[in-house]
Amino acid sequence: GGARLDEAAGFQLLDVDTNGVHDLNATNPMIQARLTAEATSSGIQRGANLRIFFFPLTQWEMGSGACSAVCLSSATCGEVDVCLKDSVVPQTLQFPLRHNTLHMRLPMQMDAIVGAVSHVLRMSDFAAPLAAL
């Protein structure tokens, strides 16, 4: 098959409580996630694009501009040189623009995510979700 994250554990949030909840620090939000490829896939290759959608979409306004992403891994990983905050829906008169997606390009130097090779990404420099509505 093509390049795919594993369905069950392909994007695994780290630092979660027993209920699987990650508590974001409101003043300096940061998340870490382990990326693992589907066993039958060709692996996630260097330079691949990764988009993370934050739900509920209307709750998030991360701010505009760049975010930060660092690859933490025992395998060769390299530098994440593209990390942007993006919006799922363009701004209209009825809906204000909400940056609720992170778009990254995985490092060009990284070992492919395939088989037993996985990588951990730490993402930061985005605003926490708005208060409950």
Side-chain angles (χ1 to χ4, degrees):
R4 294 179 58 123
L5 291 173
D6 183 72
E7 190 174 320
F11 187 86
Q12 179 183 13
L13 279 178
L14 305 177
D15 300 325
V16 296
D17 65 18
T18 56
N19 296 316
V21 175
H22 176 73
D23 189 16
L24 283 175
N25 177 329
T27 57
N28 189 22
M30 182 269 304
I31 59 172
Q32 288 189 147
R34 179 176 312 283
L35 304 179
T36 307
E38 186 176 67
T40 59
S41 83
S42 59
I44 310 300
Q45 302 300 315
R46 61 187 72 183
N49 286 298
L50 175 67
R51 286 184 174 82
I52 303 168
F53 299 86
F54 289 77
F55 287 92
L57 293 172
T58 57
Q59 196 77 15
W60 287 85
E61 173 45 76
M62 299 177 169
S64 60
C67 50
S68 295
V70 177
C71 190
L72 312 170
S73 182
S74 57
T76 300
C77 198
E79 180 181 336
V80 177
D81 62 348
V82 174
C83 185
L84 301 170
K85 295 171 253 185
D86 204 357
S87 180
V88 173
V89 179
Q91 182 173 354
T92 65
L93 292 175
Q94 295 85 12
F95 300 104
L97 185 64
R98 291 204 182 271
H99 296 90
N100 43 28
T101 305
L102 294 183
H103 172 211
M104 288 163 276
R105 183 173 63 204
L106 297 177
M108 295 305 291
Q109 306 83 8
M110 92 172 189
D111 288 341
I113 301 171
V114 63
V117 176
S118 65
H119 294 297
V120 173
L121 289 179
R122 177 187 300 150
M123 295 148 277
S124 59
D125 292 333
F126 59 88
L130 302 170
L133 299 175

